[in-house]
């Protein structure tokens, strides 16, 4: 007999800059139907902002939750172009991705701004999915653990323990995002173990409940090996979340691989 894994696995598709409104609704509906029988994991999709409301409407009452890809910390005011966490929650989203490496690389995000966004997400009733990860030069210089540890400290500095305990951490090595070059399970586990140990230091036993996702070229053919690792609790999936078949297959194979017997 198999026991459900603790923490409950979580798979989130990050659609990035993709799709029309009708593309987004169709993909969300397809994912909803394809994973309807999955009862031992949480699943979410992160459409673009303009599709957030429509996708949340289609997924309401289903097992698939909605995440935003970003969000701003102020609730209102003269911040042209920004979308507040409270507006995201009002659309029916449950999660907000913050600090994705593409936001850091192209839009000047820093650990400090990511920390403010995570805090605002929690205040709005959203669960932040906090992204951290090293670049290739940093890994090649042997600095992966130092860089990730510093990012974790910086992005969670202003969270209370109860806020940190309900957050999701996504380890996404920058060199593996969208490159087809996935971290080996051992490479990913080494960093996840560091993240877990830092969480244990702050949260003691509650740290075991925090989901630590791996992200970076996760596909149906590599998710099982990753999910067998002790501290890998799910995946943040970019490219392979853009078709129903491949994302549903990642969820199903991921769930099957991590169910303990
Ligand atoms: C991502 O965008 O978070 C990501 C992991 O992308 P990909 O799966 O395409 O590498």
């Amino acid at each position: 007999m198999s026991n459900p894994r603790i923490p409950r696995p979580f798979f989130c598709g990050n659609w990035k800059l993709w799709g029309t409104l009708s593309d987004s609704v169709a993909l969300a509906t397809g994912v909803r139907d394809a994973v309807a029988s999955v009862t031992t994991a949480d699943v979410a999709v992160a459409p673009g902002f303009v599709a957030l409301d429509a996708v949340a409407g289609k997924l309401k009452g289903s097992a698939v939750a909605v995440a935003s890809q970003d969000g701003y910390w102020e609730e209102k005011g003269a911040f042209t172009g920004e979308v507040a966490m409270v507006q995201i929650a009002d659309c029916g989203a449950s999660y907000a991705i913050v600090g994705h490496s593409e936001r850091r690389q192209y839009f000047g995000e820093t650990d400090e701004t990511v920390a403010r966004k995570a805090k605002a997400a929690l205040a709005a009733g959203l669960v932040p999915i906090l992204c951290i990860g090293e670049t290739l030069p940093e890994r090649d210089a042997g600095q992966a653990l130092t860089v990730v540890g510093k990012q974790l400290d910086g992005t969670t500095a202003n969270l209370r323990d109860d806020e940190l305990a309900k957050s999701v951490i996504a380890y996404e090595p920058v060199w593996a995002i969208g490159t087809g070059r996935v971290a080996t399970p051992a490479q990913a586990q080494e960093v996840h173990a560091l993240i877990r140990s830092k969480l244990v230091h702050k949260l003691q036993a509650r740290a075991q409940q925090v989901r630590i996702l791996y992200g970076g070229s996760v596909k149906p053919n590599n998710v099982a090996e990753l999910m067998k690792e002790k501290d890998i609790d799910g995946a943040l999936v970019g490219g392979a979340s853009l078709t129903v078949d491949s994302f549903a297959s990642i969820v199903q194979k991921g769930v099957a691989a991590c169910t303990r017997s």
Side-chain angles (χ1 to χ4, degrees):
M1 191 170 137
S2 62
N3 295 315
R5 168 151 158 172
I6 296 172
R8 189 174 158 85
F10 178 39
F11 300 88
C12 181
N14 173 14
W15 297 354
K16 311 194 189 194
L17 203 177
W18 173 88
T20 62
L21 187 55
S22 63
D23 292 336
S24 302
V25 168
L27 179 54
T29 311
V31 168
R32 179 195 67 192
D33 296 345
V35 304
S37 60
V38 174
T39 56
T40 54
D42 293 328
V43 179
V45 293
F49 277 128
V50 292
L52 209 58
D53 184 53
V55 166
K58 280 282 172 199
L59 298 182
K60 197 169 178 182
S62 81
V64 181
V66 176
S68 67
Q69 299 174 18
D70 191 21
Y72 195 53
W73 57 81
E74 295 290 350
E75 284 190 21
K76 59 181 158 190
F79 304 103
T80 302
E82 291 296 336
V83 180
M85 294 294 181
V86 289
Q87 294 176 307
I88 293 164
D90 188 47
C91 283
S94 309
Y95 299 90
I97 298 171
V98 291
H100 191 282
S101 66
E102 287 151 14
R103 303 279 334 154
R104 293 174 187 259
Q105 190 179 350
Y106 304 125
F107 303 101
E109 292 269 5
T110 63
D111 287 345
E112 194 193 14
T113 59
V114 177
R116 294 182 79 174
K117 291 180 174 191
K119 187 87 180 169
L122 286 153
L126 298 166
V127 172
I129 302 172
L130 268 154
C131 300
I132 51 182
E134 82 286 359
T135 62
L136 189 56
E138 288 166 343
R139 174 155 286 267
D140 287 345
Q143 293 168 349
L145 295 178
T146 311
V147 168
V148 171
K150 193 164 160 282
Q151 288 178 340
L152 182 66
D153 290 343
T155 54
T156 60
N158 59 358
L159 301 188
R160 297 188 312 265
D161 286 357
D162 63 302
E163 292 176 324
L164 180 58
K166 60 176 108 141
S167 301
V168 173
I169 310 295
Y171 167 55
E172 298 209 302
V174 179
W175 47 272
I177 297 179
T179 59
R181 186 179 162 191
V182 65
T184 65
Q187 283 175 322
Q189 170 57 28
E190 183 186 30
V191 180
H192 283 231
L194 168 87
I195 295 169
R196 184 83 66 201
S197 72
K198 289 179 79 73
L199 294 172
V200 167
H201 188 68
K202 286 191 170 185
L203 302 175
Q204 294 80 43
R206 271 186 300 174
Q208 305 305 332
Q209 302 289 339
V210 177
R211 270 89 68 90
I212 309 174
L213 312 185
Y214 167 79
S217 298
V218 174
K219 308 279 183 240
N221 66 3
N222 59 31
V223 68
E225 291 308 307
L226 290 159
M227 289 302 295
K228 283 181 192 154
E229 296 294 335
K230 181 170 161 282
D231 293 298
I232 300 181
D233 306 313
L236 183 54
V237 185
S241 70
L242 294 177
T243 68
V244 171
D245 284 355
S246 82
F247 187 56
S249 171
I250 285 171
V251 173
Q252 283 148 2
K253 290 182 172 162
V255 167
C258 73
T259 304
R260 300 277 186 246
S261 53

